[in-house]
Amino acid sequence: MGISGIAGLIGSLIVGGVVGTVSLVGVINSQTSPPSKSPVSVEQPDLDYGSNS
Amino acid sequence: MPRPAMPGPAMPRPGRGWWVPGWAVLVTVVLLGPALAAGYVLSYDMVWVPDLTLRADFLGLGSSLPRAVPSDAVVSVLDEVVPGWLLQKLVLALPLVAGAVGVVRPLRDLPLTARLVAVSLFVWNPFVAERLVMGHWPVLVGYGALPWVLDLGRRWRVDRRLPAALPLLLVTGSLSASAGVVTAVALVASVGLRSRARAALAVGLVAAANAPWVVSGLLHAAAGRSDPAGAAAFALSGEGSLPAPLAALSLGGIWNSEVVPHSRTGLLAWVSLLVLLTLALTGARQWWARGRRDAATLLVCWAVGLGAALLTWASPDLVAWVAVHVPGGGLVRDGSRLLVLCVPLVVTLAAVATSRLLGVMEDAGAVMVAGVLVVLPLLLLPDAALGVGGRLQAVEFPTDYAAARAVIDERAGEGDVLLLPLASYRRPSWNGDRKVLDPTGRYQSRDFVTSDELVVSGTVIAGEDPRVMEVSRALALPSAPERARALVDAGIGVVITDRDAPRVSPEVEGETLLRGSRLTVTELPGARPRSSSAGRVGAMAAAWAAFVGPLGWGVAAAVTRRRRRPAVS
């Protein structure tokens, strides 16, 4: 197998990896994502810059 | 008996020189994905606008710590030549591609596949993904410059002649405080201390490249002490079940769990760590044997980067002490940014280990292993693909922003701009509810005052800007006319209220210049612009001259050397 073989192998792995990953991430996200519009808490008016948890 | 030369992964062929840059471009494009579409990517600290106007604050003359000096000033100059949206794409993509090409330059003797592994790992790792979402683009620009700084530093040491391109690289790699520190460490480590004159010149060049933020930070000595609570909040952190030190070893460990890809919180993070450690152990001996002086450079960088990051995790009290007692010390409280320094060694070890593995395998097996290793960084961090799982999206600003800028430029009197509500971050619906530093201030053309208070996991980290405190006191007055008078006394001539933000803003009496669907612009007549003292202006002018000066020398040296080069017939 020459360089074209390597390229083919790499291409196959990328395509397979991307399709599999996108499917998996999509399923996980659809099952675990919070509501798109969370109610704003009057107790915490400032938006968190980030989280340590 | 030596094996006959066979066509395989290590065999040079015509056109093979394009594989490394081509692969770097491909991986970068897949990584950035929708971020490369037309529009502006706004994510956490990353705010890009159509035309960033140069103003006193960007030159380090403002009242706040110089967190965006010199990056904002550089952008405001460059976007006079290249449109802001296009400049942002270039700034996001070019450092990754150029850095990947640079990191394999010392590895030219290795098989192509080994170099492609290095490219994949350089572009596609937790550090890059997390800093992209966090919007730390000056850090990533420094990341791209780092391999070239190491390479040119080495050339300077060996050839005993300062490379003409080095000053430009130092400036490019010093667009923020932490990036400047990284670039300085890399240059000193690669140049070495054997020649005192060369070491002194290297330190001088580094000082010049970092002069704007250093001088501005020192000018804020009286008020530039940071809240010690920030040391714990911004320390190196674990990711999922991966403890902080192990997260750092695998180039992760950012403090903000919101920007960590999901795959870093599960089994894949452990697999990544295991793979990296295996490759490091496999390639260590051969890497050391390739040249001890260059190996020592990478080892020093790795140790400094990892050590600094671990220090923020192991001893946040010490970092807090620095933030409180050293003027401008808070500029480097996010210690895991220095993990940039670990990347060249990790990438080099992975490439050398790949080369060694291929050397002991049969052709068919070698090809299979080579293909897997080249794409392994992508497979172990799959949700970094396509704009880090869609977290980087290009958007257009609502028309209110351009209208507000126009009405302020054309009709408002003197004075700076105050952004209300007085909160640092927004989550605009037009930005897909993604968090971003309020972009209103950078979109318009005047100096502005906005909150520099940060909230991390519900803990408030106090800001450092005394002017924000002055404005807060004004806003706390009981009536709208009183608030307006106090703001005018504080030099505020325009108030922009973001009605899309959740927090309610206090009313301020003034003339309404614009009432858009999202932004309201109110003029407060009678404000006078604040001016900096002559001493402060002089100090910053000297700092900027130092910043630009070596660039001029670099251009002149490049031209002179090109003329002296003998013509090749």
Side-chain angles (χ1 to χ4, degrees), chain B residues 147-446:
Chain B
W148 294 94
V149 170
L150 290 169
D151 189 52
L152 291 190
R154 176 186 179 279
R155 201 186 300 172
W156 188 9
R157 188 185 75 238
V158 173
D159 297 346
R160 300 179 180 182
R161 190 171 73 158
L162 177 62
L166 191 57
L168 174 62
L169 271 173
L170 293 180
V171 165
T172 307
S174 306
L175 293 183
S176 72
S178 64
V181 170
V182 164
T183 302
V185 170
L187 182 67
V188 172
S190 58
V191 168
L193 302 173
R194 179 160 289 179
S195 162
R196 288 187 182 174
R198 194 163 51 235
L201 183 53
V203 170
L205 286 170
V206 161
N210 288 281
W213 70 265
V214 170
V215 173
S216 181
L218 291 173
L219 291 175
H220 289 84
R225 276 119 173 134
S226 301
D227 187 345
F234 299 124
L236 178 76
S237 171
E239 293 182 338
S241 58
L242 211 59
L246 297 184
L249 277 179
S250 52
L251 306 178
I254 195 168
W255 62 270
N256 187 1
S257 60
E258 293 176 5
V259 304
V260 176
H262 291 301
S263 61
R264 288 289 298 169
T265 61
L267 183 64
L268 279 181
W270 285 96
V271 177
S272 299
L273 175 66
L274 195 63
V275 168
L276 278 181
L277 290 178
T278 305
L279 289 175
L281 291 174
T282 305
R285 182 177 291 181
Q286 199 172 342
W287 160 72
W288 187 253
R290 288 169 59 84
R292 293 186 179 183
R293 179 58 185 83
D294 293 336
T297 299
L298 296 190
L299 198 58
V300 166
C301 288
W302 179 83
V304 170
L306 188 69
L310 287 176
L311 185 66
T312 64
W313 167 75
S315 184
D317 290 344
L318 177 62
V319 179
W321 185 89
V322 172
V324 171
H325 293 93
V326 177
L331 287 171
V332 289
R333 62 189 174 187
D334 181 357
S336 61
R337 294 186 194 197
L338 298 187
L339 286 175
V340 172
L341 285 164
C342 300
V343 176
L345 175 60
V346 173
V347 166
T348 301
L349 283 174
V352 174
T354 302
S355 169
R356 190 178 170 197
L357 283 173
L358 297 180
V360 298
M361 298 186 81
E362 296 297 327
D363 277 353
V367 169
M368 181 65 75
V369 169
V372 170
L373 285 176
V374 168
V375 295
L376 199 54
L378 287 68
L379 299 177
L380 291 176
L381 194 63
D383 43 357
L386 303 178
V388 194
R391 298 189 202 193
L392 302 174
Q393 300 277 347
V395 299
E396 293 294 343
F397 282 92
T399 54
D400 268 16
Y401 286 83
R405 176 178 172 130
V407 80
I408 292 170
D409 288 347
E410 291 165 12
R411 292 177 53 193
E414 291 188 316
D416 294 336
V417 171
L418 171 65
L419 307 182
L420 294 180
L422 202 57
S424 311
Y425 280 78
R426 303 282 190 266
R427 187 177 247 164
S429 54
W430 51 267
N431 192 39
D433 289 325
R434 288 179 292 273
K435 289 181 186 176
V436 63
L437 193 65
D438 185 3
T440 318
R442 280 181 171 75
Y443 200 108
Q444 54 81 47
S445 59
R446 298 189 183 189

Side-chain angles (χ1 to χ4, degrees), chain B residues 11-76:
Chain B
M11 285 296 293
R13 288 186 178 182
R16 187 165 278 195
W18 289 101
W19 273 90
V20 165
W23 179 243
V25 168
L26 178 63
V27 177
T28 300
V29 168
V30 175
L31 176 72
L32 294 174
L36 295 175
Y40 302 88
V41 182
L42 307 173
S43 184
Y44 288 87
D45 294 346
M46 180 157 56
V47 176
W48 284 70
V49 296
D51 180 13
L52 190 65
T53 305
L54 188 62
R55 57 201 90 173
D57 282 4
F58 293 174
L59 294 171
L61 293 167
S63 52
S64 58
L65 272 181
R67 295 194 189 283
V69 175
S71 57
D72 273 346
V74 170
V75 169
S76 63

Side-chain angles (χ1 to χ4, degrees), chain A residues 21 46 48-53, chain B residues 45 257 382 425 435 455 457 503:
Chain A
T21 303
D46 276 349
D48 269 12
Y49 175 39
S51 170
N52 292 140
S53 58
Chain B
D45 294 346
S257 60
Y425 280 78
K435 289 181 186 176
V455 184
S457 292
R503 194 172 175 182

